[in-house]
Amino acid sequence: MNNLPDELLLDILGRIKRTTDRSSVSLTCKRFHKLANGLRTSIRVGCGLHPASDALTALCNRFYNLEKVEIIYSGWMSKLGKQLDDHGLLILSSHCPSLKDLMLSYCTFITDAGLSYLASCSKLASLKLNFAPRITGCGILSLVVGCKGLTVLHLIRCLNVSSMEWLEYLGNHEILEDLCIKNCRVIGEGDLIKLGSTWRKLKRLQFEVDANYRYMKLYDRLAVDRWQKQWIPCENMLELSLVNCVISPGRGLACVIGKCKNLEKIHLDMCVGVRDCDIVCLAQKSSNLQSISLRVPSDFSLPLLQNNPLRLTDESLKAVAQNCSLLDTVRLSFSDGEFPSFSSFTLNGILMLIQMCPIRELALDHVYSFNDVGMQALCSAQYLQILELVRCQEITDEGLQLAGQIPQLCILRLRKCLGATDDGLKPLVGSYKLELLVVEDCPQISERGVQGAAKSVSFKQDLSWMY
């Protein structure tokens, strides 16, 4: 072995896939130890990084070919030692020439100066920041200017990112493919217009507004009006997720929803203003749609939307059923409280999806219109493998007993269903048809009642939600 060249030894060690096995081999001799360290391309560290700068330096020197680094300070307290700061990012930029993917979570000591050091990482393609309160738009701008190959950018709870020059810069360079902005208080829907021609390159967009913060300020109509003057090219968008957004008729994000002709997944959660025409347009354009998730808000009291007819009816589900023949995942949910009668989907609309699309996974939350008749209809769902029922209070034991007759069903999840009891699960006991049964917070189902109802069973009971 001593006569083998390093290149051949690296090839041999590279064929050992398990990290534990590779670590064991590295203890054989100093040469193996050094070569094995060179094969390590990713690390994930947390509060144990202490003292931060020294520990990070040692790690970077040991694993000299790092491409992916995750630093997570979740649960950090001052007694655990000083956090990673800007000097730590300087160490990363100077010691990790191959760095491509960096995630910093709860690194509250990092400032714009630290991001400016990362701007020298010429290979950096992915940056994810979760709760970096000292970062501003200036720091993000310096980074995107320096990192010419940045294709993935996630900003989550970066509360002080206000300047939008970085968005304009990204908009002019058509590089970004994956953009995630969640609960960054100052960034609103209107700011996304600054992405300009980069919309053409985007494959994934996740945009979530801090609803508690946004409703305290006046919605900027002028910013949304600008969307009408610009063509939004979204042909390459594959995944779209919007949470707590205001969808103005014919403006703003409504322009995006109806133009994503290659869209595969869409998630609309508490988006006020979504109408049937938006979903119909989406369905007609996006024949490749595979997954749709809708959580419908019950609060339609925003002044901006008082004069607009807000309806999500079976027309939306009908359009999806007729146009999206690849659809295999459906999640329908209503916000807490009783349904607004003018916007709820009926059982007929839900069954239309099941009958016309190869639904593999169905999740219903707070959908009171789904009852025992719906469970009977599922018995003819040839592709259904995963069924999740949350707060579906119209389902009784009579309907639940039919779960064993759903041809391909292998996973059943029941949460907060008041009408189901142990009797509803009796046909499943001993049959082992299900691979997994999850029962959580259903007051009339006991731990004893779920035993033997599936190959694997998970049971939790916390009834505080009822009081």
Side-chain angles (χ1 to χ4, degrees):
M1 294 289 286
N2 290 334
N3 296 325
L4 293 179
D6 286 351
E7 292 78 8
L8 183 55
L9 280 177
L10 280 171
D11 182 65
I12 295 172
L13 293 175
R15 296 172 185 266
I16 303 175
K17 301 304 179 184
R18 293 178 57 183
T19 303
T20 53
D21 292 341
R22 193 181 295 167
S23 298
S24 298
V25 173
S26 71
L27 299 176
T28 305
C29 63
K30 291 183 177 180
R31 187 185 181 201
F32 278 19
H33 187 263
K34 181 178 180 180
L35 291 174
N37 287 341
L39 291 173
R40 183 72 174 265
T41 59
S42 65
I43 59 170
R44 186 175 188 267
V45 294
C47 299
L49 198 67
H50 176 71
S53 295
D54 295 341
L56 189 60
T57 301
L59 285 172
C60 292
N61 287 333
R62 179 181 175 185
F63 306 117
Y64 47 89
N65 284 326
L66 287 176
E67 297 179 1
K68 181 178 181 179
V69 176
E70 298 181 15
I71 302 176
I72 304 172
Y73 276 97
S74 178
W76 177 84
M77 296 178 289
S78 58
K79 67 179 182 181
L80 298 176
K82 188 178 179 182
Q83 272 197 15
L84 182 81
D85 56 13
D86 293 337
H87 182 63
L89 296 188
L90 176 60
I91 294 171
L92 271 179
S93 63
S94 57
H95 287 71
C96 298
S98 300
L99 186 63
K100 297 179 181 178
D101 188 335
L102 177 62
M103 184 180 81
L104 303 174
S105 187
Y106 297 96
C107 296
T108 56
F109 284 49
I110 292 173
T111 70
D112 291 345
L115 290 189
S116 67
Y117 297 139
L118 292 178
S120 63
C121 298
S122 58
K123 295 184 179 180
L124 190 66
S126 173
L127 176 66
K128 300 175 183 178
L129 299 176
N130 180 15
F131 194 62
R134 302 190 186 190
I135 297 296
T136 72
C138 295
I140 302 296
L141 178 62
S142 66
L143 185 131
V144 298
V145 170
C147 301
K148 304 295 185 183
L150 195 69
T151 59
V152 178
L153 179 61
H154 290 193
L155 303 177
I156 303 173
R157 289 186 292 172
C158 295
L159 306 180
N160 287 311
V161 176
S162 56
S163 175
M164 301 303 162
E165 286 86 353
W166 59 276
L167 266 176
E168 294 182 3
Y169 184 87
L170 290 172
N172 292 328
H173 287 76
E174 297 187 35
I175 297 175
L176 204 64
E177 296 181 2
D178 184 341
L179 176 62
C180 174
I181 300 175
K182 294 185 177 181
N183 295 327
C184 296
R185 292 181 171 180
V186 186
I187 306 176
E189 295 93 327
D191 295 311
L192 295 179
I193 190 65
K194 296 181 175 66
L195 285 172
S197 55
T198 290
W199 280 103
R200 183 180 293 106
K201 193 73 173 178
L202 273 181
K203 295 180 179 178
R204 298 172 189 84
L205 174 64
Q206 302 175 65
F207 189 78
E208 180 174 340
V209 175
D210 185 337
N212 294 325
Y213 179 79
R214 88 95 48 81
Y215 293 148
M216 294 190 297
K217 63 182 181 180
L218 181 65
Y219 185 66
D220 187 359
R221 290 196 184 196
L222 294 178
V224 176
D225 287 341
R226 292 179 56 196
W227 288 69
Q228 293 180 300
K229 302 175 183 178
Q230 182 172 345
W231 177 62
I232 308 298
C234 307
E235 290 83 359
N236 291 316
M237 187 80 71
L238 300 178
E239 298 180 20
L240 178 64
S241 175
L242 305 176
V243 182
N244 296 327
C245 294
V246 172
I247 310 296
S248 299
R251 305 175 183 177
L253 292 171
C255 299
V256 177
I257 293 175
K259 294 182 179 178
C260 302
K261 66 179 183 180
N262 290 309
L263 199 66
E264 296 178 357
K265 297 181 180 179
I266 186 166
H267 175 66
L268 301 178
D269 187 338
M270 299 296 286
C271 290
V272 177
V274 180
R275 302 171 299 162
D276 272 342
C277 61
D278 297 316
I279 303 299
V280 170
C281 187
L282 167 73
Q284 292 173 344
K285 291 283 187 179
S286 307
S287 59
N288 293 331
L289 195 66
Q290 300 173 20
S291 173
I292 184 169
S293 174
L294 300 175
R295 183 167 179 242
V296 182
S298 58
D299 180 11
F300 296 99
S301 59
L302 286 180
L304 173 68
L305 302 167
Q306 277 182 347
N307 298 323
N308 295 324
L310 296 172
R311 299 287 190 273
L312 270 185
T313 69
D314 287 347
E315 288 299 315
S316 295
L317 302 185
K318 179 180 178 181
V320 173
Q322 292 177 338
N323 294 280
C324 304
S325 59
L326 302 179
L327 190 70
D328 67 0
T329 301
V330 175
R331 306 184 71 89
L332 301 177
S333 174
F334 285 82
S335 60
D336 291 339
E338 295 186 1
F339 285 164
S341 59
F342 53 83
S343 66
S344 61
F345 303 125
T346 71
L347 179 60
N348 289 335
I350 297 172
L351 296 184
M352 199 179 309
L353 283 175
I354 296 169
Q355 294 164 357
M356 300 180 68
C357 299
I359 304 299
R360 183 187 60 84
E361 180 177 353
L362 176 65
L364 303 175
D365 184 348
H366 241 128
V367 182
Y368 294 153
S369 61
F370 192 81
N371 52 25
D372 293 345
V373 177
M375 290 296 293
Q376 177 66 55
L378 291 184
C379 294
S380 61
Q382 296 297 318
Y383 303 96
L384 188 63
Q385 298 177 9
I386 302 172
L387 176 62
E388 181 175 342
L389 302 173
V390 183
R391 296 178 292 185
C392 293
Q393 314 304 7
E394 296 302 312
I395 294 177
T396 68
D397 288 338
E398 183 179 348
L400 188 57
Q401 289 172 357
L402 298 171
Q405 300 179 31
I406 302 175
Q408 300 296 327
L409 189 68
C410 57
I411 297 176
L412 175 62
R413 299 187 180 98
L414 302 173
R415 295 187 175 95
K416 301 179 180 179
C417 293
L418 298 176
T421 73
D422 290 349
D423 290 340
L425 296 175
K426 282 184 177 180
L428 291 170
V429 175
S431 69
Y432 296 105
K433 170 184 171 59
L434 297 180
E435 295 289 336
L436 174 65
L437 172 64
V438 177
V439 177
E440 296 182 2
D441 308 334
C442 297
Q444 298 193 79
I445 298 180
S446 66
E447 187 170 6
R448 182 178 180 180
V450 303
Q451 299 305 315
K455 296 177 183 178
S456 178
V457 173
S458 174
F459 179 85
K460 294 180 181 179
Q461 190 77 290
D462 180 3
L463 303 182
S464 61
W465 66 275
M466 297 177 62
Y467 305 103

